[in-house]
Amino acid sequence: MKKIDRRKFFKGLVYSLVSLEFAYVFFRLLKLDKTALDETNYYEAGDISFFEKGRVYPFSSARFFLYCLDDGGFIAVSSRCTHLGCIIQFNADHDRFECPCHASAFEKSGEVIMSPATRALDYYPIAFKGDKVLVDNSRPCRRSKFDQSQVMYV
Ligand code: FES
């Protein structure tokens, strides 16, 4: 019977432990934390405290409007009209969104007020990180009408 060299045995043991440690760290890095916020697609709209209740803020380059509701909730609505895709504008005098192409109008929540559009403006997921409002403008959420579940609260 072959004798196991004591030195080789401990060397092999150390290599095995180091390999296990690396494997553990590797798989921990691969594991996705479902509770973590993937910020890669989020647009940083600004500090929560900056936004006044009842006001609409345009983010033209990111193609959305951020509406801070009277109750402090936030909804981010797409600037693309649901009729044929023209870019809507916020008309402060009428306190609503209006489409320059065929005159559809939308409430600040995105709900249709006037046709030819028949469904509410798409909205985008919102997240809060620290004191920042983040909007994922890569994932428009299609909806037929506004409902309170689409509003996000800090
Ligand atoms: S594209 Fe907006 S009303 Fe037609």
Side-chain angles (χ1 to χ4, degrees):
M1 189 169 142
K2 190 176 175 185
K3 268 187 150 181
I4 299 176
D5 183 286
R6 203 174 176 171
R7 185 177 216 156
K8 280 186 179 174
F9 172 78
F10 283 111
K11 199 172 170 182
L13 184 63
V14 168
Y15 283 137
S16 299
L17 290 174
V18 169
S19 298
L20 280 173
E21 180 84 24
F22 275 113
Y24 175 75
V25 170
F26 178 73
F27 286 110
R28 285 285 307 255
L29 289 174
L30 282 181
K31 185 180 169 190
L32 295 175
D33 183 356
K34 302 283 186 215
T35 60
L37 176 65
D38 177 9
E39 295 174 45
T40 52
N41 294 324
Y42 278 85
Y43 180 94
E44 189 177 303
D47 288 355
I48 295 165
S49 60
F50 171 80
F51 300 104
E52 293 176 27
K53 291 177 181 174
R55 290 201 55 195
V56 170
Y57 297 85
F59 290 87
S60 305
S61 63
R63 298 192 174 216
F64 70 86
F65 292 88
L66 186 63
Y67 172 35
C68 181
L69 285 76
D70 292 332
D71 65 1
F74 288 90
I75 187 165
V77 296
S78 170
S79 60
R80 190 169 293 280
C81 180
T82 53
H83 177 227
L84 292 177
C86 288
I87 301 301
I88 59 166
Q89 305 293 322
F90 184 69
N91 184 326
D93 293 336
H94 296 156
D95 204 30
R96 67 186 191 182
F97 298 109
E98 295 174 350
C99 182
C101 293
H102 312 103
S104 285
F106 305 86
E107 291 178 2
K108 291 185 281 187
S109 63
E111 185 73 59
V112 176
I113 299 171
M114 203 155 61
S115 58
T118 56
R119 67 177 187 83
L121 298 169
D122 292 347
Y123 71 102
Y124 294 112
I126 289 178
F128 302 101
K129 185 174 185 194
D131 60 350
K132 305 286 184 201
V133 181
L134 308 175
V135 177
D136 182 354
N137 62 346
S138 69
R139 287 191 297 142
C141 301
R142 191 182 168 94
R143 59 185 173 163
S144 56
K145 61 182 189 154
F146 168 75
D147 82 61
Q148 200 63 31
S149 69
Q150 298 154 2
V151 178
M152 294 300 293
Y153 294 89
V154 178

